[in-house]
Amino acid sequence: MSHPYILEADQITMKFGGLTAVNKLSLKILPGDLVGLIGPNGAGKTTAFNMLTGIYHPTEGEVRLLGENISKLRPYQITKRGVARTFQNIRLFKEMTVLENLLVAGQSTYQSGLISSILKTSQFKKNEEALRNHCLELLKIFKLEKKSQFLSKNLPYGEQRRLEIARAMATSPQLLLLDEPAAGMNPQETKELTELIRFIRNHFKMAILLIEHDMGLVMDVCDRISVLDYGELIAYGNPKEIQNNPKVIEAYLGPKEEEKDL
Amino acid sequence: MSGFFDYLIPLLSNVGIFIILALGLNLINGICGQFSLGHAGFWAVGAYAAGAYGLYFAPEIPNFINLFISCLVGMITSALFGLAIGIPCLRLRGDYLAIATLGFGEIIRIVIMNTDKLGGPRGMTNIPHWTNIFWVYAWVILFIFIIVNFLKGPHGRAMISVREDEIASESMGINTFKYKTMAVVIGAAMAGVAGALFAHGQQFLHPNNFTFMWSVIILLMIILGGLGSVTGAILGAIILTILPELLRFMGTTIAEWRMVIYSLLLIALMLWRPSGILGKREINLLGLFKKGKT
Ligand SMILES: Nc1ncnc2c1ncn2[C@@H]1O[C@H](COP(=O)(O)OP(=O)(O)O)[C@@H](O)[C@H]1O
Ligand SMILES: [Mg+2]
């Protein structure tokens, strides 16, 4: 049995007490897909990400990764199975260097035992060397190699965003989840980010799920877009269809005048 | 002159024991970012386990072998207590560990107080004298070696990442629960060894040797040196073990004001160096902390 979808969210719901943040959301992501997830503030996008990555466990429904139900797994287990993410509010390891941020993310691929790392066996040194090279290569791709020894908290904002993506990539994912990567960026930085996202997808041949407020960016890079409003999926389609979908326009611009009067 | 050494050697032994205690607590609080308030409890468990071994179980073998076995007994017993407290508390995010270790430190004293075999309120007496300054510092050096290498490797980085941001760490494939538990167990194990060395140096243990105040003093040591810094923990342990002795030289009145002086020291520290004397930096004697080639 083969599973065409990398990730499948099947009618997932998240309730916080009386509030339903996400209601029966379904998503399907194919290998190599670049899917956008948009919607007004508070629509439930980040909550959906948290369910896909194990930070929250869905109240109802199921998340499947290559056919395996991962709804009950812890975040680190899901990451080890090939899903990596960034955060809307940057969450770097601030007091660690840029390189160390990546080393932490990369190390489950290059496991060394506790004892061998304390005794510094040759096997351990080989592992560390391979991990280091893997991470330095990524830093080069993300144009951060000159900053590898900087504490991550000392990077300018745009570079911190880039570092977060690089760190996620260090886990060697098949699917990358980006939560508003362009937030707080200027137009020039946003343009570079757009190129970077395209590059990642083509270079690493991986699927990306992108939450973004910058419509230009979303319409530009995404193959298909899902639109959330008040926790419900209200539209799904290619950028053109989404732009012309009356429900989407309403969600973003509010109801039309005549309807308001009623 | 010999009187001076009779005074100095036990003092330096105590410094070594507190270095081990501070290094262990620094692993839990400073490096992994979990708040433990019961380090004296782990110390007590190790001391009494070692004392019991010395009194009831030790065979007729050379002292240094008995001391080594006794240290292992203290280490394993404390580590098991660390495991038993860590597992339920660390599954959850939040300050459960602080509350549980605080309670543990007090409960363990009351349990000892009411256990006849352990001497109860009279204290445990006649523990064999096996500790000497050489073995204390052998353990100090062993633990420094282990911690320094641990921190330079992947497991140390993982533990630091838990302190930096637990959610991000978990999302980068790190089993944060495992590393939090590891920190508490290793920290407790080290306190167990410190307890064994203490028991076989003092030859007498009393529950009141291990009050909450001692947990606070060990905590002060690592805050003073700089939370998260290994050399800072060592420095803090040295200062806060020697300082009361210096105060004693200045007369009994000043010695009685010890805790007030500590408080003032802490306030001064908060004002001038809120992250401790060394912050998260290390003193780089011997190039011990040199980062690997990059
Ligand atoms: N941990 C939580 N507890 C309670 N309510 C939450 C929690 N996380 C999110 N919410 C609520 O869920 C809704 C969706 O939030 P979120 O997913 O962050 O929206 P978006 O990312 O689309 O802006 C909001 O109303 C928010 O207040
Ligand atoms: Mg959000």
Side-chain angles (χ1 to χ4, degrees):
Chain A
M1 194 170 71
S2 78
H3 306 282
Y5 298 108
I6 287 198
L7 191 87
E8 231 179 321
D10 190 0
Q11 304 264 315
I12 53 174
T13 296
M14 189 74 223
K15 289 189 179 136
F16 297 111
L19 176 85
T20 305
V22 172
N23 193 15
K24 298 202 171 104
L25 171 67
S26 291
L27 284 173
K28 288 184 168 124
I29 299 171
L30 287 162
D33 247 0
L34 212 173
V35 179
L37 181 60
I38 65 172
N41 259 331
K45 307 180 295 293
T46 299
T47 305
F49 261 31
N50 285 340
M51 283 191 283
L52 300 181
T53 53
I55 291 180
Y56 298 151
H57 301 297
T59 331
E60 287 159 41
E62 207 174 278
V63 181
R64 286 186 289 270
L65 189 67
L66 293 168
E68 181 196 5
N69 180 1
I70 58 165
S71 329
K72 299 254 152 51
L73 295 186
R74 305 224 347 248
Y76 84 94
Q77 295 169 313
I78 295 176
T79 305
K80 284 188 172 179
R81 283 166 170 74
V83 181
R85 70 171 292 176
T86 64
F87 296 90
Q88 183 173 352
N89 316 308
I90 302 177
R91 282 177 175 273
L92 289 169
F93 307 130
K94 293 197 188 82
E95 298 279 347
M96 299 178 91
T97 66
V98 167
L99 178 61
E100 282 168 342
N101 266 269
L102 268 69
L103 291 173
V104 168
Q107 69 192 33
S108 34
T109 333
Y110 299 87
Q111 271 295 2
S112 295
L114 183 61
I115 305 292
S116 71
S117 76
I118 289 171
L119 298 178
K120 297 197 175 161
T121 61
S122 60
Q123 185 58 43
F124 159 75
K125 284 183 183 159
K126 228 188 270 165
N127 264 348
E128 277 284 293
E129 189 67 28
L131 167 63
R132 209 163 266 274
N133 289 336
H134 168 69
C135 293
L136 286 172
E137 226 159 86
L138 277 171
L139 285 181
K140 235 176 249 154
I141 291 174
F142 285 83
K143 301 200 178 66
L144 289 165
E145 77 272 23
K146 289 203 188 74
K147 303 258 172 115
S148 71
Q149 296 306 316
F150 281 50
L151 288 185
S152 66
K153 67 173 180 187
N154 294 337
L155 294 188
Y157 183 81
E159 285 182 354
Q160 291 197 9
R161 284 254 173 234
R162 223 173 330 133
L163 174 57
E164 244 208 345
I165 302 176
R167 183 180 66 175
M169 291 303 297
T171 65
S172 309
Q174 305 172 42
L175 169 65
L176 179 63
L177 309 183
L178 301 173
D179 196 346
E180 301 200 22
M185 284 188 169
N186 63 37
Q188 177 58 30
E189 287 172 324
T190 306
K191 216 175 125 230
E192 285 169 18
L193 179 74
T194 313
E195 288 315 309
L196 186 65
I197 292 172
R198 264 211 200 91
F199 173 82
I200 293 171
R201 183 236 199 141
N202 296 332
H203 184 82
F204 297 98
K205 310 247 175 307
M206 62 186 310
I208 297 176
L209 179 60
L210 172 70
I211 294 181
E212 189 44 69
H213 265 308
D214 188 302
M215 281 305 147
L217 197 165
V218 175
M219 298 296 166
D220 201 3
V221 300
C222 292
D223 305 324
R224 283 167 305 104
I225 297 170
S226 296
V227 187
L228 269 183
D229 193 21
Y230 293 110
E232 310 246 7
L233 191 66
I234 58 165
Y236 174 75
N238 65 37
K240 198 145 218 144
E241 292 164 350
I242 293 299
Q243 265 168 326
N244 299 321
N245 185 316
K247 271 193 187 161
V248 176
I249 296 168
E250 191 181 303
Y252 271 90
L253 302 177
K256 292 199 196 87
E257 288 303 319
E258 316 92 82
E259 284 167 329
K260 256 188 199 159
D261 291 340
L262 293 174
Chain B
M1 200 59 201
S2 88
F4 180 65
F5 278 111
D6 287 347
Y7 170 76
L8 192 66
I9 299 227
L11 176 63
L12 289 182
S13 265
N14 267 347
V15 169
I17 287 169
F18 277 104
I19 288 176
I20 296 173
L21 287 167
L23 284 174
L25 188 65
N26 184 51
L27 194 72
I28 304 171
N29 288 27
I31 289 164
C32 195
Q34 307 306 303
F35 208 65
S36 165
L37 274 175
H39 217 54
F42 295 122
W43 185 25
V45 167
Y48 272 91
Y53 170 78
L55 282 180
Y56 305 122
F57 303 104
E60 290 286 328
I61 46 174
N63 286 354
F64 75 95
I65 300 179
N66 257 331
L67 176 65
F68 182 71
I69 296 172
S70 199
C71 285
L72 292 186
V73 168
M75 171 164 28
I76 292 167
T77 317
S78 277
L80 290 176
F81 275 83
L83 198 64
I85 294 170
I87 284 178
C89 296
L90 297 171
R91 276 201 187 285
L92 310 158
R93 242 169 256 132
D95 298 324
Y96 302 97
L97 185 71
I99 298 160
T101 48
L102 179 71
F104 160 71
E106 288 308 295
I107 290 166
I108 205 75
R109 268 184 52 232
I110 293 165
V111 169
I112 294 169
M113 201 68 103
N114 290 293
T115 307
D116 224 33
K117 272 273 179 216
L118 297 176
R122 284 167 288 111
M124 188 185 250
T125 50
N126 294 325
I127 301 167
H129 190 271
W130 294 332
T131 300
N132 60 40
I133 192 158
F134 172 79
W135 289 115
V136 170
Y137 281 89
W139 281 103
V140 169
I141 288 165
L142 176 70
F143 282 134
I144 292 176
F145 170 82
I146 291 175
I147 287 188
V148 167
N149 278 357
F150 173 80
L151 286 180
K152 280 198 277 197
H155 302 283
R157 285 194 302 262
M159 202 176 269
I160 295 172
S161 78
V162 173
R163 170 191 80 198
E164 291 296 303
D165 191 319
E166 197 174 328
I167 289 179
S169 175
E170 178 93 19
S171 297
M172 293 305 128
I174 302 298
N175 183 350
T176 55
F177 170 64
K178 179 177 110 183
Y179 283 101
K180 289 191 288 184
T181 310
M182 192 191 285
V184 171
V185 169
I186 297 176
M190 290 173 66
V193 172
L197 293 168
F198 182 75
H200 295 295
Q202 301 286 314
Q203 297 179 268
F204 171 71
L205 298 174
H206 192 276
N208 288 347
N209 288 348
F210 305 99
T211 53
F212 175 64
M213 195 191 77
W214 283 105
S215 295
V216 173
I217 289 176
I218 302 164
L219 188 62
L220 273 182
M221 290 174 179
I222 63 174
I223 293 173
L224 180 70
L227 215 53
S229 159
V230 174
T231 36
I234 297 171
L235 192 67
I238 295 173
I239 293 175
L240 285 193
T241 315
I242 302 224
L243 188 68
E245 296 302 317
L246 291 180
L247 294 180
R248 256 206 348 219
F249 276 123
M250 295 180 198
T252 39
T253 8
I254 291 186
E256 276 167 11
W257 286 76
R258 196 164 59 115
M259 287 319 282
V260 176
I261 292 169
Y262 282 6
S263 315
L264 291 176
L265 196 72
L266 199 66
I267 292 169
L269 194 75
M270 288 305 155
L271 289 175
W272 286 303
R273 290 200 74 92
S275 51
I277 296 174
L278 294 179
K280 287 196 173 60
R281 285 181 295 277
E282 302 289 355
I283 301 175
N284 223 335
L285 291 173
L286 312 171
L288 208 58
F289 292 90
K290 207 164 69 205
K291 298 235 164 153
K293 194 163 63 78
T294 48

